[in-house]
Amino acid sequence: MDSGGEKVPRKKRPSVAPRRTPAAALTAEEMLRRALGAATPRSRALWARRGLSLRGPLDRTTQAMLLRQLYLAYFETRRFERAAEVAEQALSLGVLSDVAHQDAARAKQALGDIDGAVGHLRLAARTGPASRRAFHWWTLGSVYHLARRYDDAIGALTRAARWGTRDKPLYQGHLAVVQCEAGMTVEGLGALIDRLAEVPAGQGYGRFVLGQMAYFDRRWDEARNYLEAFVQRSTSGRVAVAIALGGEIEAARRTLDSLPKR
């Protein structure tokens, strides 16, 4: 108060913005965390590069995960040659090699290098753990399928179905689709459709397989519903997913165009 008893307003102290940790003070693990949570490919690449450029020894697992984030940034921006280079660099670390082979294969496939993609996927199936072997054979079968190399696709998908456990109905269904496209007669197509529709594998990519099977079984409405759901889901999520499934999206749209009009 002043001498007259009136209150004297106090001066407000200027607000202090919270201090941000300088990028140079962040650990590789923190930079990896930020790359994983990045909202854009540019930001993901920025944090991945910063983590990889740190001085001193870098844990191989952390290094491999940073390289994968850099790979994804290149893949999402359709810089497929750079993406393939980064995936092959990750292979030299010997950490989750089958995953790195899968990444390299996606980039090679996007470049139109089918033989290069096939080579990586065969190595993934050979070197990966038994729990992921069926997945690698299925991915190889998918690449052959889109390339219309039906005999090769049937061979790979037969192996996937043999090794598969939880996702076996997906692999069996995809094998049936390829056999139908190759002009072969598939017995029990309806039973395969019903079996895949009842398991979790029938979601996501399974919608593509279900739609194609329903088409060959002349279940037109089901084919349309499955394929429309597949296209919608595949094109409305992460960019990397839409790019990786570009061939399947195109195939689904061709089938939709060929369906009888309602």
Side-chain angles (χ1 to χ4, degrees):
M1 292 186 181
D2 64 8
S3 57
E6 296 181 355
K7 290 185 178 180
V8 178
R10 295 181 179 179
K11 293 182 179 180
K12 292 184 178 180
R13 294 181 179 179
S15 59
V16 179
R19 293 182 178 179
R20 293 184 178 179
T21 305
L26 296 176
T27 64
E29 289 74 18
E30 176 59 23
M31 291 185 184
L32 172 60
R33 188 185 68 79
R34 296 194 180 194
L36 287 165
T40 65
R42 182 176 180 277
S43 179
R44 182 174 294 111
L46 174 67
W47 287 111
R49 287 196 193 97
R50 285 181 176 178
L52 292 166
S53 66
L54 289 177
R55 294 180 180 178
L58 190 61
D59 175 78
R60 284 196 306 165
T61 299
T62 302
Q63 185 178 358
M65 294 178 72
L66 285 166
L67 283 170
R68 188 159 201 274
Q69 292 305 303
L70 185 58
Y71 161 86
L72 288 171
Y74 284 138
F75 191 86
E76 289 174 355
T77 52
R78 298 180 181 275
R79 300 169 68 181
F80 301 125
E81 288 187 8
R82 297 299 301 274
E85 290 171 2
V86 171
E88 289 173 347
Q89 183 181 347
L91 282 168
S92 66
L93 298 173
V95 177
L96 293 175
S97 296
D98 63 314
V99 176
H101 278 302
Q102 277 273 346
D103 287 343
R106 288 192 188 94
K108 294 284 186 180
Q109 183 182 18
L111 288 166
D113 182 1
I114 302 304
D115 288 337
V118 165
H120 279 291
L121 290 171
R122 285 191 174 279
L123 286 170
R126 187 182 307 164
T127 62
S131 61
R132 291 199 290 271
R133 195 164 297 162
F135 172 77
H136 296 317
W137 283 115
W138 170 60
T139 307
L140 177 60
S142 301
V143 171
Y144 280 138
H145 176 202
L146 293 176
R148 300 184 180 183
R149 293 168 58 172
Y150 296 127
D151 288 344
D152 292 327
I154 289 170
L157 291 169
T158 298
R159 291 193 178 191
R162 184 185 308 140
W163 280 94
T165 54
R166 182 185 60 182
D167 293 336
K168 185 184 286 287
L170 174 62
Y171 307 149
Q172 292 173 327
H174 203 158
L175 174 59
V177 169
V178 174
Q179 290 171 327
C180 288
E181 287 190 20
M184 301 170 65
T185 300
V186 178
E187 300 293 339
L189 197 56
L192 287 172
I193 293 171
D194 295 340
R195 190 181 310 151
L196 178 55
E198 293 174 357
V199 297
Q203 304 297 315
Y205 195 101
R207 299 285 180 177
F208 170 71
V209 175
L210 282 165
Q212 299 287 34
M213 282 199 292
Y215 172 80
F216 285 111
D217 205 37
R218 304 178 68 84
R219 293 156 68 164
W220 310 129
D221 288 341
E222 288 182 47
R224 182 177 288 104
N225 291 337
Y226 283 132
L227 292 174
E228 286 179 347
F230 169 75
V231 172
Q232 172 62 25
R233 177 170 177 167
S234 301
T235 57
S236 61
R238 288 189 60 180
V239 175
V241 173
I243 295 173
L245 296 179
E248 286 87 348
I249 293 169
E250 183 181 344
R253 286 172 170 161
R254 285 198 303 269
T255 302
L256 284 167
D257 289 340
S258 68
L259 287 171
K261 302 300 180 184
R262 286 176 172 173

